């Protein structure tokens, strides 16, 4: 499992807004509506992160053609 994190707000102490997703062995499109990130201050977006969830260890996640619309 993976997640997209939005870090927003005036200070760096606010917890990120999160949307989880699953990635499989085949290429597939994923779309995340910014309004679906509960608690995010979209007027003060500071960073977007894509992270792996679960136990520490090696993993591979290939990302291509990222768009912000």
């Amino acid at each position: 499992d993976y997640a997209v994190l939005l870090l927003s707000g005036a200070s760096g102490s606010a917890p990120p807004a999160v949307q989880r997703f699953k990635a499989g062995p085949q290429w597939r499109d994923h779309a995340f509506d910014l309004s679906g990130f509960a608690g995010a201050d979209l007027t003060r977006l500071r960073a977007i992160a894509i992270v792996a969830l679960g136990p520490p260890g090696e993993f591979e996640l290939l990302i291509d053609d990222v768009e912000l619309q």
Side-chain angles (χ1 to χ4, degrees), residues 4-18 34 37-49:
V4 177
L5 282 58
L6 288 189
L7 294 98
S8 66
S11 73
S13 62
V18 179
L34 293 179
F37 286 89
D41 180 354
L42 300 179
T43 65
R44 292 186 174 203
L45 185 60
R46 293 184 293 111
I48 299 172

Side-chain angles (χ1 to χ4, degrees), residues 27-53:
W27 281 102
R28 120 175 219 225
D29 289 339
H30 293 274
F32 304 94
D33 189 338
L34 293 179
S35 66
F37 286 89
D41 180 354
L42 300 179
T43 65
R44 292 186 174 203
L45 185 60
R46 293 184 293 111
I48 299 172
I50 301 171
V51 301
L53 304 174

